[in-house]
Amino acid sequence: MVTHSQNQRESRSSRVRPYALTHGRTRTRHQLLVETMISASDYDTELAEKLLPESRSVYEHARRPISLAELSASLNIPLGVIRVLVSDLATEGAIVIHPTGQAYSYDHNILERILDGLNKLSA
């Protein structure tokens, strides 16, 4: 049977833990959107052993391309914390952050030409 004081401790630790994992940081060095994909191109077991458990889990999941949303859900770690951990790993060169669609700037002339071409195909 779970007592009231045990519930309070668990609730308090769940609020403190994310803050402790990021050392109070909420900002990242990289633009990381919920759909941002990451991967660890060269997985290093020695590096993995040196990482804190949560960072190690992120690093291990990045052995295959994975989005921040998937990481957050599968590791049950808040997205804000995932962003900070991923940013730290990327800064160390442990993982690669793949560009999202927003990272590309589009030439409006080319987009208009493509649209014109698609309209001609459907006519």
Side-chain angles (χ1 to χ4, degrees):
M1 185 158 113
V2 177
T3 66
H4 179 67
S5 62
Q6 286 175 325
N7 282 338
Q8 284 180 321
R9 276 196 302 267
E10 289 174 11
S11 175
R12 185 174 52 238
S13 69
S14 68
R15 286 191 310 261
V16 173
R17 189 159 172 77
Y19 180 83
L21 288 174
T22 63
H23 305 287
R25 295 172 297 134
T26 57
R27 296 182 188 244
T28 63
R29 295 182 184 123
H30 308 276
Q31 182 182 12
L32 299 170
L33 305 174
V34 69
E35 70 270 16
T36 299
M37 300 291 290
I38 65 164
S39 64
S41 55
D42 295 318
Y43 184 81
D44 182 353
T45 52
E46 289 180 19
L47 172 64
E49 291 172 4
K50 295 176 187 175
L51 296 172
L52 294 174
E54 292 78 10
S55 293
R56 183 179 315 126
S57 293
V58 169
Y59 185 56
E60 288 174 351
H61 275 76
R63 287 175 139 172
R64 64 171 182 83
I66 189 167
S67 73
L68 297 190
E70 290 173 293
L71 273 174
S72 179
S74 65
L75 297 177
N76 199 25
I77 297 175
L79 184 59
V81 174
I82 290 292
R83 284 183 171 131
V84 172
L85 297 177
V86 164
S87 182
D88 290 348
L89 289 168
T91 299
E92 292 177 24
I95 61 168
V96 174
I97 298 172
H98 302 282
T100 61
Q102 290 187 346
Y104 299 103
S105 59
Y106 297 103
D107 182 336
H108 289 285
N109 292 330
I110 292 175
L111 291 176
E112 286 178 20
R113 288 175 48 202
I114 292 171
L115 186 58
D116 288 342
L118 291 173
N119 287 331
K120 287 177 184 176
L121 287 175
S122 65

